[in-house]
Amino acid sequence: MRKLPLSLTINGETHELLAEPHHPLLEVLRTQLGLIGTKENCLEGECGVCTVLLDGMAVNSCLLLAAQCQGRRIVTIEGLGGPETLHPLQETFVEHGAVQCGYCIPGMILAAKAYLDQNPEPTEGEIREALSGNLCRCTGYQKILDAVLAAAGVLAPMR
Ligand code: FES
Ligand code: FES
């Protein structure tokens, strides 16, 4: 199949690449760009491990064609913070012991970021609802909720 030339803006950088028309964003991120912080699991929108931000909204990158993302602003977990510049959400996940195997965490953190950007002072119940599309097979949900609540407390005064 003929590949399409694409220009994608990811974590503030423009990437020119070729992708087949049916390639999901997830595949391009992981296999072409090496951004393996975005995880892969169900490939049908059920688990949320592939969550990235698209123009600030949390989306499942397994369901989105890469070709649909041209001209949009994509952020992956690599763009949120690094080992020396952790985002407050990354810090509170560490502080609260919210990371077990870690597989769901990039998607969980990006879903939480998108939600806190819209609702900076949520209740625990609202966070639970907002993250209901992100599954954790290690089932450490309470610590994840605690970490997001703590991050809201850090971020809200900064807005
Ligand atoms: S891999 Fe995308 S939702 Fe599960
Ligand atoms: S920490 Fe293991 S899947 Fe969530």
Side-chain angles (χ1 to χ4, degrees), residues 66-126:
Q68 293 174 290
C69 299
Q70 292 203 94
R72 317 282 297 273
R73 192 167 39 90
I74 300 158
V75 176
T76 68
I77 194 67
E78 290 89 348
L80 200 65
E84 282 156 29
T85 53
L86 292 180
H87 184 276
L89 273 161
Q90 294 169 315
E91 283 180 347
T92 58
F93 268 66
V94 172
E95 287 165 8
H96 286 261
V99 180
Q100 295 185 69
C101 80
Y103 203 77
C104 71
I105 299 300
M108 206 61 94
I109 285 181
L110 288 172
K113 175 170 182 355
Y115 182 68
L116 293 182
D117 286 346
Q118 296 297 315
N119 183 4
E121 297 183 40
T123 64
E124 182 177 316
E126 288 171 333

Short mmCIF file of all heavy atoms in Angstrom, two decimals, residues 66-126:
data_model
loop_
_atom_site.label_atom_id
_atom_site.label_comp_id
_atom_site.label_asym_id
_atom_site.label_seq_id
_atom_site.Cartn_x
_atom_site.Cartn_y
_atom_site.Cartn_z
N ALA A 66 -2.84 7.89 12.35
CA ALA A 66 -1.77 8.90 12.38
C ALA A 66 -2.10 10.04 11.42
O ALA A 66 -1.85 11.22 11.71
CB ALA A 66 -0.43 8.26 12.03
N ALA A 67 -2.71 9.68 10.29
CA ALA A 67 -3.01 10.71 9.28
C ALA A 67 -4.04 11.72 9.78
O ALA A 67 -4.13 12.82 9.24
CB ALA A 67 -3.53 10.03 8.00
N GLN A 68 -4.81 11.35 10.80
CA GLN A 68 -5.80 12.29 11.35
C GLN A 68 -5.15 13.31 12.29
O GLN A 68 -5.85 14.22 12.74
CB GLN A 68 -6.86 11.52 12.17
CG GLN A 68 -7.77 10.62 11.39
CD GLN A 68 -8.66 9.83 12.33
OE1 GLN A 68 -8.22 8.96 13.05
NE2 GLN A 68 -9.94 10.15 12.33
N CYS A 69 -3.90 13.11 12.60
CA CYS A 69 -3.26 13.93 13.65
C CYS A 69 -2.40 15.05 13.09
O CYS A 69 -1.75 15.76 13.86
CB CYS A 69 -2.42 13.04 14.55
SG CYS A 69 -3.41 11.78 15.36
N GLN A 70 -2.36 15.18 11.77
CA GLN A 70 -1.57 16.27 11.21
C GLN A 70 -2.18 17.61 11.63
O GLN A 70 -3.40 17.77 11.66
CB GLN A 70 -1.55 16.19 9.69
CG GLN A 70 -0.79 15.00 9.18
CD GLN A 70 -0.32 15.22 7.77
OE1 GLN A 70 0.81 15.66 7.55
NE2 GLN A 70 -1.17 14.93 6.81
N GLY A 71 -1.30 18.56 11.95
CA GLY A 71 -1.77 19.89 12.34
C GLY A 71 -2.29 19.95 13.77
O GLY A 71 -2.78 20.99 14.20
N ARG A 72 -2.21 18.85 14.48
CA ARG A 72 -2.67 18.80 15.88
C ARG A 72 -1.44 18.73 16.79
O ARG A 72 -0.36 18.37 16.35
CB ARG A 72 -3.54 17.56 16.10
CG ARG A 72 -4.55 17.28 14.99
CD ARG A 72 -5.77 18.13 15.03
NE ARG A 72 -6.57 17.96 16.21
CZ ARG A 72 -7.52 17.03 16.36
NH1 ARG A 72 -7.78 16.17 15.38
NH2 ARG A 72 -8.24 16.95 17.46
N ARG A 73 -1.64 19.03 18.04
CA ARG A 73 -0.55 19.03 19.00
C ARG A 73 -0.63 17.74 19.82
O ARG A 73 -1.58 17.54 20.57
CB ARG A 73 -0.70 20.27 19.89
CG ARG A 73 0.43 20.64 20.77
CD ARG A 73 0.23 22.06 21.32
NE ARG A 73 -1.16 22.32 21.67
CZ ARG A 73 -1.69 22.08 22.87
NH1 ARG A 73 -0.94 21.59 23.83
NH2 ARG A 73 -2.96 22.34 23.11
N ILE A 74 0.37 16.89 19.64
CA ILE A 74 0.38 15.60 20.32
C ILE A 74 1.40 15.65 21.46
O ILE A 74 2.53 16.12 21.28
CB ILE A 74 0.80 14.48 19.34
CG1 ILE A 74 -0.18 14.41 18.17
CG2 ILE A 74 0.91 13.14 20.03
CD1 ILE A 74 0.38 13.76 16.92
N VAL A 75 0.99 15.17 22.63
CA VAL A 75 1.93 15.06 23.76
C VAL A 75 1.90 13.63 24.26
O VAL A 75 0.82 13.08 24.53
CB VAL A 75 1.57 16.04 24.90
CG1 VAL A 75 2.49 15.84 26.10
CG2 VAL A 75 1.66 17.49 24.41
N THR A 76 3.08 13.03 24.38
CA THR A 76 3.20 11.70 24.97
C THR A 76 3.83 11.86 26.35
O THR A 76 4.25 12.95 26.73
CB THR A 76 4.10 10.79 24.11
OG1 THR A 76 5.45 11.28 24.18
CG2 THR A 76 3.64 10.77 22.65
N ILE A 77 3.94 10.77 27.07
CA ILE A 77 4.49 10.85 28.42
C ILE A 77 5.93 11.40 28.39
O ILE A 77 6.36 12.08 29.32
CB ILE A 77 4.44 9.46 29.13
CG1 ILE A 77 4.69 9.61 30.62
CG2 ILE A 77 5.41 8.47 28.49
CD1 ILE A 77 3.61 10.34 31.38
N GLU A 78 6.65 11.14 27.30
CA GLU A 78 8.03 11.65 27.20
C GLU A 78 8.04 13.18 27.16
O GLU A 78 9.04 13.81 27.50
CB GLU A 78 8.71 11.11 25.94
CG GLU A 78 9.03 9.62 25.97
CD GLU A 78 7.89 8.74 25.44
OE1 GLU A 78 6.75 9.25 25.26
OE2 GLU A 78 8.16 7.54 25.21
N GLY A 79 6.92 13.77 26.72
CA GLY A 79 6.86 15.23 26.62
C GLY A 79 6.38 15.90 27.89
O GLY A 79 6.40 17.13 27.99
N LEU A 80 5.93 15.11 28.82
CA LEU A 80 5.39 15.70 30.05
C LEU A 80 6.49 16.06 31.03
O LEU A 80 6.44 17.09 31.70
CB LEU A 80 4.41 14.72 30.71
CG LEU A 80 3.43 15.34 31.70
CD1 LEU A 80 2.50 16.30 30.97
CD2 LEU A 80 2.65 14.27 32.42
N GLY A 81 7.47 15.20 31.13
CA GLY A 81 8.57 15.45 32.06
C GLY A 81 9.58 14.33 31.92
O GLY A 81 9.24 13.25 31.45
N GLY A 82 10.82 14.62 32.31
CA GLY A 82 11.87 13.60 32.24
C GLY A 82 12.38 13.31 33.64
O GLY A 82 11.89 13.90 34.61
N PRO A 83 13.36 12.43 33.74
CA PRO A 83 13.87 12.06 35.07
C PRO A 83 14.31 13.25 35.91
O PRO A 83 14.18 13.22 37.13
CB PRO A 83 15.06 11.15 34.73
CG PRO A 83 14.75 10.62 33.37
CD PRO A 83 13.97 11.68 32.66
N GLU A 84 14.81 14.29 35.28
CA GLU A 84 15.28 15.43 36.08
C GLU A 84 14.26 16.55 36.17
O GLU A 84 14.46 17.53 36.91
CB GLU A 84 16.59 15.95 35.49
CG GLU A 84 17.75 15.06 35.90
CD GLU A 84 18.92 15.15 34.95
OE1 GLU A 84 19.09 16.21 34.35
OE2 GLU A 84 19.63 14.14 34.84
N THR A 85 13.20 16.45 35.41
CA THR A 85 12.18 17.50 35.45
C THR A 85 10.80 16.85 35.50
O THR A 85 10.01 16.99 34.57
CB THR A 85 12.26 18.39 34.19
OG1 THR A 85 12.20 17.53 33.05
CG2 THR A 85 13.51 19.24 34.17
N LEU A 86 10.55 16.15 36.57
CA LEU A 86 9.27 15.44 36.67
C LEU A 86 8.11 16.42 36.75
O LEU A 86 8.19 17.45 37.42
CB LEU A 86 9.26 14.55 37.92
CG LEU A 86 10.18 13.34 37.94
CD1 LEU A 86 10.02 12.59 39.26
CD2 LEU A 86 9.91 12.42 36.76
N HIS A 87 7.03 16.08 36.07
CA HIS A 87 5.78 16.83 36.21
C HIS A 87 5.22 16.52 37.61
O HIS A 87 5.44 15.43 38.14
CB HIS A 87 4.82 16.36 35.12
CG HIS A 87 3.53 17.10 35.08
ND1 HIS A 87 2.46 16.78 35.89
CD2 HIS A 87 3.13 18.16 34.33
CE1 HIS A 87 1.46 17.61 35.64
NE2 HIS A 87 1.84 18.45 34.70
N PRO A 88 4.49 17.47 38.23
CA PRO A 88 3.91 17.18 39.55
C PRO A 88 3.12 15.87 39.61
O PRO A 88 3.16 15.18 40.64
CB PRO A 88 3.02 18.40 39.80
CG PRO A 88 3.71 19.51 39.08
CD PRO A 88 4.29 18.88 37.84
N LEU A 89 2.44 15.50 38.55
CA LEU A 89 1.73 14.22 38.56
C LEU A 89 2.72 13.05 38.66
O LEU A 89 2.46 12.07 39.38
CB LEU A 89 0.89 14.06 37.29
CG LEU A 89 -0.52 14.64 37.34
CD1 LEU A 89 -1.07 14.83 35.93
CD2 LEU A 89 -1.45 13.73 38.15
N GLN A 90 3.84 13.16 37.95
CA GLN A 90 4.83 12.09 38.03
C GLN A 90 5.43 12.03 39.44
O GLN A 90 5.66 10.95 39.98
CB GLN A 90 5.92 12.32 36.97
CG GLN A 90 5.38 12.18 35.55
CD GLN A 90 6.36 12.66 34.49
OE1 GLN A 90 6.96 13.73 34.63
NE2 GLN A 90 6.50 11.89 33.44
N GLU A 91 5.64 13.21 40.02
CA GLU A 91 6.19 13.24 41.38
C GLU A 91 5.23 12.60 42.39
O GLU A 91 5.65 11.82 43.23
CB GLU A 91 6.48 14.69 41.80
CG GLU A 91 7.74 15.21 41.17
CD GLU A 91 8.04 16.65 41.56
OE1 GLU A 91 7.15 17.32 42.12
OE2 GLU A 91 9.16 17.08 41.29
N THR A 92 3.95 12.95 42.29
CA THR A 92 3.03 12.42 43.30
C THR A 92 2.77 10.92 43.10
O THR A 92 2.53 10.21 44.06
CB THR A 92 1.69 13.20 43.33
OG1 THR A 92 1.08 13.16 42.04
CG2 THR A 92 1.90 14.65 43.75
N PHE A 93 2.85 10.45 41.85
CA PHE A 93 2.71 9.01 41.64
C PHE A 93 3.87 8.27 42.34
O PHE A 93 3.67 7.21 42.93
CB PHE A 93 2.69 8.67 40.14
CG PHE A 93 1.30 8.62 39.57
CD1 PHE A 93 0.51 9.75 39.49
CD2 PHE A 93 0.76 7.42 39.09
CE1 PHE A 93 -0.78 9.72 38.98
CE2 PHE A 93 -0.53 7.37 38.57
CZ PHE A 93 -1.30 8.52 38.52
N VAL A 94 5.06 8.85 42.26
CA VAL A 94 6.21 8.22 42.95
C VAL A 94 6.02 8.32 44.46
O VAL A 94 6.13 7.32 45.19
CB VAL A 94 7.53 8.91 42.52
CG1 VAL A 94 8.70 8.40 43.36
CG2 VAL A 94 7.78 8.68 41.03
N GLU A 95 5.68 9.51 44.93
CA GLU A 95 5.56 9.73 46.38
C GLU A 95 4.49 8.85 47.02
O GLU A 95 4.63 8.41 48.16
CB GLU A 95 5.21 11.20 46.65
CG GLU A 95 6.37 12.15 46.42
CD GLU A 95 5.93 13.60 46.33
OE1 GLU A 95 4.73 13.89 46.59
OE2 GLU A 95 6.77 14.45 46.00
N HIS A 96 3.41 8.58 46.28
CA HIS A 96 2.30 7.80 46.84
C HIS A 96 2.43 6.31 46.53
O HIS A 96 1.51 5.54 46.84
CB HIS A 96 0.97 8.35 46.33
CG HIS A 96 0.60 9.64 46.99
ND1 HIS A 96 -0.27 9.74 48.04
CD2 HIS A 96 1.04 10.89 46.76
CE1 HIS A 96 -0.36 11.00 48.43
NE2 HIS A 96 0.41 11.72 47.66
N GLY A 97 3.53 5.89 45.94
CA GLY A 97 3.69 4.47 45.63
C GLY A 97 2.62 3.97 44.69
O GLY A 97 2.15 2.83 44.79
N ALA A 98 2.21 4.84 43.74
CA ALA A 98 1.10 4.49 42.85
C ALA A 98 1.54 3.66 41.65
O ALA A 98 0.69 3.26 40.85
CB ALA A 98 0.42 5.78 42.38
N VAL A 99 2.84 3.42 41.54
CA VAL A 99 3.35 2.68 40.38
C VAL A 99 3.72 1.27 40.82
O VAL A 99 4.57 1.09 41.68
CB VAL A 99 4.59 3.39 39.80
CG1 VAL A 99 5.12 2.62 38.60
CG2 VAL A 99 4.26 4.83 39.43
N GLN A 100 3.07 0.28 40.22
CA GLN A 100 3.46 -1.10 40.49
C GLN A 100 4.26 -1.60 39.29
O GLN A 100 5.42 -1.28 39.15
CB GLN A 100 2.21 -1.93 40.81
CG GLN A 100 1.55 -1.44 42.11
CD GLN A 100 0.39 -2.30 42.52
OE1 GLN A 100 0.57 -3.45 42.92
NE2 GLN A 100 -0.81 -1.74 42.43
N CYS A 101 3.65 -2.35 38.36
CA CYS A 101 4.44 -2.75 37.19
C CYS A 101 4.71 -1.55 36.29
O CYS A 101 5.65 -1.54 35.51
CB CYS A 101 3.75 -3.85 36.41
SG CYS A 101 2.43 -3.25 35.32
N GLY A 102 3.85 -0.55 36.37
CA GLY A 102 4.06 0.68 35.61
C GLY A 102 3.41 0.73 34.24
O GLY A 102 3.40 1.78 33.61
N TYR A 103 2.85 -0.39 33.79
CA TYR A 103 2.41 -0.43 32.39
C TYR A 103 1.27 0.55 32.10
O TYR A 103 1.24 1.16 31.04
CB TYR A 103 1.96 -1.86 32.03
CG TYR A 103 2.02 -2.12 30.56
CD1 TYR A 103 3.24 -2.36 29.93
CD2 TYR A 103 0.87 -2.11 29.77
CE1 TYR A 103 3.30 -2.58 28.57
CE2 TYR A 103 0.93 -2.32 28.41
CZ TYR A 103 2.16 -2.57 27.82
OH TYR A 103 2.22 -2.77 26.46
N CYS A 104 0.39 0.73 33.04
CA CYS A 104 -0.76 1.62 32.80
C CYS A 104 -0.44 3.08 33.11
O CYS A 104 -1.26 3.96 32.81
CB CYS A 104 -1.94 1.21 33.69
SG CYS A 104 -1.64 1.57 35.45
N ILE A 105 0.70 3.33 33.74
CA ILE A 105 0.94 4.64 34.36
C ILE A 105 1.07 5.79 33.35
O ILE A 105 0.51 6.87 33.57
CB ILE A 105 2.16 4.57 35.31
CG1 ILE A 105 1.90 3.55 36.43
CG2 ILE A 105 2.48 5.95 35.89
CD1 ILE A 105 0.69 3.86 37.31
N PRO A 106 1.77 5.63 32.22
CA PRO A 106 1.82 6.77 31.29
C PRO A 106 0.43 7.22 30.85
O PRO A 106 0.13 8.42 30.84
CB PRO A 106 2.64 6.22 30.11
CG PRO A 106 3.51 5.17 30.72
CD PRO A 106 2.64 4.52 31.76
N GLY A 107 -0.42 6.26 30.51
CA GLY A 107 -1.77 6.61 30.09
C GLY A 107 -2.57 7.21 31.23
O GLY A 107 -3.34 8.16 31.05
N MET A 108 -2.39 6.64 32.42
CA MET A 108 -3.10 7.12 33.60
C MET A 108 -2.72 8.59 33.86
O MET A 108 -3.58 9.44 34.14
CB MET A 108 -2.67 6.23 34.76
CG MET A 108 -3.57 6.06 35.88
SD MET A 108 -5.18 5.32 35.55
CE MET A 108 -4.96 3.58 35.86
N ILE A 109 -1.44 8.88 33.81
CA ILE A 109 -0.96 10.24 34.11
C ILE A 109 -1.44 11.23 33.05
O ILE A 109 -1.87 12.35 33.38
CB ILE A 109 0.58 10.25 34.25
CG1 ILE A 109 0.96 9.62 35.59
CG2 ILE A 109 1.15 11.65 34.11
CD1 ILE A 109 2.45 9.57 35.87
N LEU A 110 -1.41 10.84 31.79
CA LEU A 110 -1.86 11.78 30.75
C LEU A 110 -3.38 11.99 30.82
O LEU A 110 -3.86 13.11 30.62
CB LEU A 110 -1.43 11.28 29.37
CG LEU A 110 0.08 11.40 29.13
CD1 LEU A 110 0.48 10.72 27.83
CD2 LEU A 110 0.53 12.85 29.13
N ALA A 111 -4.12 10.94 31.15
CA ALA A 111 -5.57 11.11 31.32
C ALA A 111 -5.84 12.04 32.50
O ALA A 111 -6.72 12.91 32.45
CB ALA A 111 -6.24 9.75 31.54
N ALA A 112 -5.06 11.87 33.57
CA ALA A 112 -5.23 12.74 34.75
C ALA A 112 -4.86 14.18 34.40
O ALA A 112 -5.55 15.12 34.81
CB ALA A 112 -4.36 12.23 35.89
N LYS A 113 -3.81 14.36 33.62
CA LYS A 113 -3.42 15.73 33.26
C LYS A 113 -4.53 16.41 32.47
O LYS A 113 -4.91 17.55 32.75
CB LYS A 113 -2.13 15.75 32.45
CG LYS A 113 -1.82 17.17 31.99
CD LYS A 113 -0.49 17.36 31.39
CE LYS A 113 -0.16 18.78 30.97
NZ LYS A 113 -1.17 19.81 31.07
N ALA A 114 -5.06 15.72 31.47
CA ALA A 114 -6.13 16.32 30.67
C ALA A 114 -7.31 16.68 31.56
O ALA A 114 -7.92 17.74 31.41
CB ALA A 114 -6.56 15.34 29.57
N TYR A 115 -7.61 15.82 32.52
CA TYR A 115 -8.76 16.09 33.38
C TYR A 115 -8.49 17.26 34.33
O TYR A 115 -9.33 18.15 34.48
CB TYR A 115 -9.12 14.83 34.18
CG TYR A 115 -10.34 15.08 35.03
CD1 TYR A 115 -11.58 15.29 34.43
CD2 TYR A 115 -10.25 15.18 36.41
CE1 TYR A 115 -12.70 15.58 35.19
CE2 TYR A 115 -11.36 15.47 37.18
CZ TYR A 115 -12.58 15.67 36.55
OH TYR A 115 -13.69 15.97 37.30
N LEU A 116 -7.32 17.28 34.95
CA LEU A 116 -7.02 18.37 35.90
C LEU A 116 -6.92 19.72 35.18
O LEU A 116 -7.22 20.75 35.79
CB LEU A 116 -5.71 18.09 36.66
CG LEU A 116 -5.74 16.90 37.61
CD1 LEU A 116 -4.39 16.77 38.33
CD2 LEU A 116 -6.87 17.02 38.63
N ASP A 117 -6.53 19.69 33.92
CA ASP A 117 -6.51 20.96 33.16
C ASP A 117 -7.92 21.52 33.02
O ASP A 117 -8.11 22.73 32.93
CB ASP A 117 -5.88 20.75 31.77
CG ASP A 117 -4.37 20.58 31.85
OD1 ASP A 117 -3.78 20.88 32.91
OD2 ASP A 117 -3.77 20.15 30.84
N GLN A 118 -8.92 20.63 32.97
CA GLN A 118 -10.31 21.07 32.83
C GLN A 118 -10.96 21.31 34.19
O GLN A 118 -11.85 22.16 34.33
CB GLN A 118 -11.14 19.98 32.11
CG GLN A 118 -10.70 19.71 30.68
CD GLN A 118 -10.86 20.93 29.79
OE1 GLN A 118 -11.89 21.59 29.83
NE2 GLN A 118 -9.83 21.25 29.03
N ASN A 119 -10.58 20.52 35.18
CA ASN A 119 -11.19 20.58 36.51
C ASN A 119 -10.08 20.56 37.56
O ASN A 119 -9.74 19.50 38.09
CB ASN A 119 -12.15 19.40 36.69
CG ASN A 119 -12.86 19.46 38.02
OD1 ASN A 119 -12.72 20.42 38.79
ND2 ASN A 119 -13.64 18.43 38.32
N PRO A 120 -9.52 21.72 37.89
CA PRO A 120 -8.32 21.76 38.75
C PRO A 120 -8.57 21.36 40.20
O PRO A 120 -7.63 21.02 40.89
CB PRO A 120 -7.89 23.23 38.69
CG PRO A 120 -8.63 23.84 37.56
CD PRO A 120 -9.88 23.05 37.38
N GLU A 121 -9.83 21.39 40.65
CA GLU A 121 -10.07 21.07 42.06
C GLU A 121 -11.14 19.97 42.17
O GLU A 121 -12.24 20.19 42.69
CB GLU A 121 -10.49 22.32 42.82
CG GLU A 121 -9.38 23.37 42.82
CD GLU A 121 -9.74 24.61 43.62
OE1 GLU A 121 -10.35 24.46 44.69
OE2 GLU A 121 -9.42 25.71 43.17
N PRO A 122 -10.81 18.78 41.70
CA PRO A 122 -11.80 17.70 41.66
C PRO A 122 -11.94 17.01 43.01
O PRO A 122 -11.05 17.06 43.86
CB PRO A 122 -11.21 16.74 40.64
CG PRO A 122 -9.73 16.91 40.81
CD PRO A 122 -9.52 18.35 41.15
N THR A 123 -13.06 16.32 43.16
CA THR A 123 -13.21 15.40 44.30
C THR A 123 -12.62 14.05 43.89
O THR A 123 -12.37 13.79 42.71
CB THR A 123 -14.70 15.19 44.63
OG1 THR A 123 -15.31 14.55 43.49
CG2 THR A 123 -15.40 16.51 44.92
N GLU A 124 -12.45 13.19 44.90
CA GLU A 124 -11.94 11.85 44.58
C GLU A 124 -12.90 11.12 43.64
O GLU A 124 -12.48 10.42 42.73
CB GLU A 124 -11.74 11.05 45.87
CG GLU A 124 -11.16 9.68 45.59
CD GLU A 124 -10.88 8.89 46.86
OE1 GLU A 124 -10.34 9.48 47.80
OE2 GLU A 124 -11.21 7.69 46.86
N GLY A 125 -14.18 11.30 43.88
CA GLY A 125 -15.17 10.63 43.03
C GLY A 125 -15.09 11.11 41.58
O GLY A 125 -15.25 10.31 40.65
N GLU A 126 -14.84 12.39 41.40
CA GLU A 126 -14.72 12.91 40.03
C GLU A 126 -13.47 12.35 39.35
O GLU A 126 -13.49 12.04 38.15
CB GLU A 126 -14.68 14.44 40.07
CG GLU A 126 -16.02 15.07 40.40
CD GLU A 126 -15.94 16.56 40.64
OE1 GLU A 126 -14.88 17.07 41.06
OE2 GLU A 126 -16.96 17.24 40.43
#
